Amino acid sequence: MLALSHFRHFQHFRHFQIYVMKQYKYTLDKSNKKFICPDCNKRTLVLFIETETGNYLTDEFGRCDRESSCGYFRKPETEYTNTFKVIDKPKPKSSFHTLEILEETFINASSNYFIHFLKTIFSNDEVKKAVFNYFIGTWEQWKGTTVFWQIDQQEGIHHGKVMLYNPATGKRVKNKEAKSIISSVRSLAKLDGFILEQCLFGLHLVNESTKVIGLVEAEKTAVIMSIFKPNYVWLATGSKNGFKYEFMKPIKDFKVVAFPDKSEYNDWLNKAIELNGFGFKISVNDWLENTDYSNGTDLADVYINELQAEPPSEYCKSKQEHEFSKESLEVYEIIQRRKEPKRELTKEESYKVIQSFIENNTDTYIVESAKSVESAKVQP
């Protein structure tokens, strides 16, 4: 049933790497403890500690986890002491999930809230195809959650990210502390000793026939855009920090168009310039950055908003030209085609389609009606 049928047997070799390690006088706390950010007043501040004693510095020195919406970061002036250490350390062997655990997440897709949401805007056939293309799973013990599997081109299953979405809005569900409900298969399945090495979400879809890759941040966005614009192979970094060499290396030889979330354009552009210096072929689309959508908006949000709006809303206009850009018109045209009413052919029209195919050796027959002219395709 699944495209993943067999796993390759990996032979792991012992690689030694040399690390030059600075002994920092202060470092960010690596525990899960958070403090009140002096800027946004949220409990999202990671404090600096003194390396030697483990004592926290005052609450003015730290970094807020809300990098996009807050961005507070203040570090002590003295960063490190003049001590260095050179060690030989073997590269750890990466862990992979089994095909069996992936298949188990397909048992109860009917309870998956994200799939419920997809069915409110797409046809059942479109949703089914996307679910099977990306192997979207459900963690049964955590009601309604979605499993986004990271699978490489050799069918190695690196990671399963578990997230909860609102079935009505498609937005992430957050807890009392306004944090998204998110976990991982290795954590929920209590796979002790699992050595995580992540890859791009959707990487397994890339092959020799791939022409253009569309790169976004969120897995949800990649899935939705694969239905709206199937001419791209859509991948996701999983986070804005996932746009990096280690993740991008497997698609170095492919043409990549990156679509950053609103407010992330400059960061992604700088990273693309850096990666292109190593031979990558990445362009960064700036259309969303030049619209009046709010910060944090992603490409899927735009398409969904426009699907629910008629005519196109004013806030979609370009800030600079105050008129619809080429990209805005493309969004509008795609959405309008989806809004056009579909009708089934009559039996007589079906016979004419077949006869046209036989006589003209073509798979297209024009069906004229009082209200519209439609094109019917003969299914192979």
Side-chain angles (χ1 to χ4, degrees):
M1 179 180 69
L2 301 177
L4 286 176
S5 55
H6 297 89
F7 287 95
R8 293 187 176 183
H9 294 284
F10 296 95
Q11 290 193 1
H12 298 275
F13 300 93
R14 188 174 177 82
H15 295 283
F16 286 88
Q17 298 178 337
I18 298 178
Y19 295 85
V20 179
M21 303 190 62
K22 293 179 181 179
Q23 182 63 41
Y24 286 87
K25 185 175 182 180
Y26 306 111
T27 184
L28 286 169
D29 183 18
K30 293 181 174 58
S31 73
N32 294 325
K33 194 170 183 179
K34 302 292 174 66
F35 297 84
I36 300 296
C37 174
D39 197 15
C40 67
N41 294 318
K42 302 285 187 182
R43 189 172 290 277
T44 52
L45 185 71
V46 179
L47 288 180
F48 276 94
I49 61 172
E50 190 174 15
T51 305
E52 186 175 344
T53 64
N55 295 330
Y56 287 107
L57 301 190
T58 59
D59 57 9
E60 63 181 307
F61 297 112
R63 183 185 66 194
C64 182
D65 277 347
R66 302 171 72 231
E67 295 180 44
S68 297
S69 54
C70 177
Y72 182 86
F73 183 32
R74 185 174 181 184
K75 56 186 178 181
E77 292 183 5
T78 304
E79 296 186 20
Y80 58 88
T81 60
N82 292 325
T83 59
F84 297 86
K85 186 178 182 182
V86 180
I87 60 171
D88 287 339
K89 184 178 179 181
K91 184 178 180 180
K93 190 186 301 183
S94 301
S95 300
F96 294 92
H97 289 292
T98 64
L99 178 59
E100 288 72 25
I101 196 169
L102 183 148
E103 287 181 325
E104 287 176 7
T105 65
F106 277 77
I107 293 174
N108 193 14
S110 61
S111 66
N112 189 306
Y113 290 170
F114 177 56
I115 295 177
H116 286 186
F117 170 71
L118 292 178
K119 289 182 177 179
T120 66
I121 54 177
F122 301 116
S123 70
N124 287 338
D125 287 343
E126 288 174 320
V127 173
K128 183 178 180 181
K129 182 179 179 181
V131 168
F132 276 85
N133 280 346
Y134 288 96
F135 300 99
I136 300 172
T138 307
W139 193 255
E140 192 173 7
Q141 292 77 20
W142 208 6
K143 185 178 178 181
T145 51
T146 297
V147 182
F148 292 120
W149 292 103
Q150 292 179 2
I151 306 169
D152 63 30
Q153 292 155 302
Q154 290 75 42
E155 299 183 347
I157 307 175
H158 291 242
H159 178 48
K161 182 190 289 187
V162 183
M163 305 183 72
L164 184 62
Y165 292 90
N166 184 309
T169 65
K171 301 294 184 181
R172 287 182 290 181
V173 175
K174 298 185 178 182
N175 58 23
K176 295 179 180 179
E177 297 179 350
K179 293 184 178 180
S180 297
I181 296 177
I182 182 172
S183 188
S184 65
V185 170
R186 74 181 188 282
S187 176
L188 295 174
K190 299 180 179 178
L191 301 178
D192 296 334
F194 190 97
I195 299 175
L196 177 65
E197 184 178 350
Q198 296 190 64
C199 68
L200 292 170
F201 173 74
L203 183 59
H204 63 283
L205 298 174
V206 177
N207 54 47
E208 293 179 355
S209 64
T210 299
K211 294 182 179 179
V212 183
I213 292 172
L215 185 69
V216 293
E217 179 178 326
E219 296 88 351
K220 165 193 156 184
T221 306
V223 173
I224 291 174
M225 291 309 303
S226 74
I227 304 177
F228 276 125
K229 286 178 66 68
N231 52 316
Y232 287 10
V233 174
W234 291 91
L235 310 184
T237 62
S239 68
K240 70 175 185 179
N241 296 323
F243 188 26
K244 57 185 178 181
Y245 180 83
E246 292 81 2
F247 279 26
M248 299 293 292
K249 186 177 179 181
I251 57 173
K252 181 178 179 180
D253 296 329
F254 295 87
K255 179 181 178 181
V256 179
V257 181
F259 297 88
D261 293 356
K262 178 68 182 290
S263 80
E264 300 299 333
Y265 171 75
N266 288 331
D267 287 345
W268 278 41
L269 177 63
N270 291 334
K271 192 63 183 180
I273 293 172
E274 177 186 329
L275 290 171
N276 288 342
F278 291 98
F280 286 83
K281 297 179 280 291
I282 306 169
S283 60
V284 183
N285 188 287
D286 66 349
W287 170 72
L288 185 54
E289 195 71 16
N290 292 320
T291 65
D292 290 331
Y293 284 101
S294 60
N295 288 346
T297 299
D298 63 34
L299 198 60
D301 293 330
V302 173
Y303 276 78
I304 293 170
N305 287 343
E306 294 304 315
L307 186 64
Q308 298 167 345
E310 192 174 354
S313 48
E314 289 296 319
Y315 53 75
C316 188
K317 289 185 178 180
S318 168
K319 287 179 178 178
Q320 294 144 344
E321 301 177 1
H322 297 286
E323 62 182 18
F324 289 113
S325 65
K326 178 182 176 181
E327 289 85 353
S328 296
L329 289 174
E330 181 185 18
V331 173
Y332 176 72
E333 289 169 359
I334 290 174
I335 296 306
Q336 292 308 305
R337 286 197 295 270
R338 285 193 158 269
K339 288 182 176 180
E340 290 176 358
K342 306 291 191 303
R343 72 176 183 88
E344 294 184 2
L345 299 181
T346 64
K347 185 181 293 186
E348 181 182 351
E349 288 170 341
S350 297
Y351 287 142
K352 288 182 178 180
V353 170
I354 297 172
Q355 188 64 32
S356 176
F357 175 75
I358 294 172
E359 294 177 354
N360 304 312
N361 193 28
T362 178
D363 65 346
T364 302
Y365 172 73
I366 302 301
V367 181
E368 297 186 11
S369 65
K371 295 183 178 179
S372 64
V373 177
E374 301 180 8
S375 177
K377 291 273 187 179
V378 176
Q379 297 300 321

